[in-house]
Each structure stands twice: as C-alpha cells, then as structure tokens.
Amino acid sequence: MAEETVTTETPAQTTHRTPAGHTTIIRETRTTGGGTGIVMAVILLVAIVGGIYLFSQHNSEAAKDNAIAEAANDVGDAATKVGNAAEDAVQQNK
C-alpha cells in the first residue's frame, strides 16, 4: 500500500509584483513487507498441519503396537488354559 505525503509551499512575494504562487508536491512512498506476513502465516499453517499428521501417525502406530501386544497376551493365556486342561485330563484318566 502506498502512503502519500502532500506538502504545499507558498513562496514569498518577489519584488516584481507577481502574484504569489502555490506549489503542491505529492510524494508517494511504498511500504514493503506486506507479503511477508502472508508467507509466515502459510509456513505456520503447514507446520501445524504437519505436526498434527505426525502425532496422529505416532498415536496410530502406538495403538497398533498395543493391540498386537494384547493379542499376544491373549494367545499366551489361551495356551496356558489348554495346557492346564490337558494336565487335568491326564490326571483324571489315571
């Protein structure tokens, strides 16, 4: 966005009896850095989305690992029960 500075100068009357003139000077200055905020916002947004994605992947992997460990424990418990049942069957036949 450009900023405008308006300066009006009134020169002093000369000795030649000419009317005093008015001179208006308009200077435009450009401000820089307007796009920097937008770029920073986009970078921040990408970082946040990437972080959420990585954390959700990590939690997903942890949940998968926990499910596998729980299933392995269940298989171990079932094997123990089968072994106990076999021992009971052998002792009853004696």
Side-chain angles (χ1 to χ4, degrees):
M1 179 170 195
E3 290 183 25
E4 291 185 2
T5 305
V6 178
T7 306
T8 303
E9 297 177 4
T10 307
Q13 190 110 14
T14 60
T15 56
H16 296 310
R17 294 191 182 239
T18 58
H22 294 284
T23 304
T24 302
I25 300 170
I26 299 175
R27 292 191 181 109
E28 286 191 31
T29 56
R30 296 199 179 256
T31 57
T32 58
T36 304
I38 294 171
V39 170
M40 293 301 288
V42 168
I43 290 172
L44 182 63
L45 181 65
V46 167
I48 290 172
V49 169
I52 290 171
Y53 175 75
L54 290 177
F55 281 121
S56 69
Q57 288 294 83
H58 175 69
N59 290 339
S60 171
E61 290 293 323
K64 201 183 304 181
D65 292 343
N66 289 338
I68 291 171
E70 188 176 331
N73 285 336
D74 290 344
V75 168
D77 291 341
T80 302
K81 288 180 183 179
V82 168
N84 291 340
E87 283 181 13
D88 289 343
V90 168
Q91 287 180 359
Q92 288 178 0
N93 286 335
K94 283 187 178 183

